Amino acid sequence: MLGRPDFAMTMTPDEQATMRAHGEFLQSQLAAGTLVVAGPVPDPAGVFGLGVFEAESLDALRRLLDGDPAQVIGRYELAPMGPTVVRPARPQGA
């Protein structure tokens, strides 16, 4: 969770720039195949982001996330994920 419940609506110009850089970081991880899915969660208590990454270990993921510009305005809570169920991608136009 970011520092204040209304963060998404009251970002300063510096925070907006950091969040743009965060988005670019996520796009780079998506292109690299490390990021599986990510997006904002509009919790009434305060917006936060959720991301699923594929990494060899939590330590490897921590090292990767050290490069995320959003570290200066937020924090990550990391947890390993066990066996998963995933639906296949929908065909285009479905």
Side-chain angles (χ1 to χ4, degrees):
M1 184 104 29
L2 295 170
R4 57 189 188 275
D6 63 349
F7 175 81
M9 286 76 65
T10 63
M11 283 188 275
T12 66
D14 284 346
E15 289 169 334
Q16 290 173 0
T18 298
M19 292 307 291
R20 276 191 300 279
H22 169 63
E24 292 168 3
F25 170 81
L26 292 176
Q27 287 295 329
S28 73
Q29 295 310 308
L30 187 63
T34 308
L35 177 63
V36 177
V37 63
V41 178
D43 187 313
V47 174
F48 63 93
L50 178 100
V52 176
F53 291 81
E54 186 173 353
E56 291 183 20
S57 66
L58 284 176
D59 285 337
L61 182 56
R62 282 185 189 94
R63 287 190 299 274
L64 176 83
L65 295 176
D66 282 345
D68 184 351
Q71 290 283 6
V72 299
I73 59 174
R75 63 177 164 62
Y76 280 100
E77 294 180 18
L78 304 180
M81 191 172 190
T84 59
V85 177
V86 179
R87 79 165 167 77
R90 292 183 183 157
Q92 291 286 39

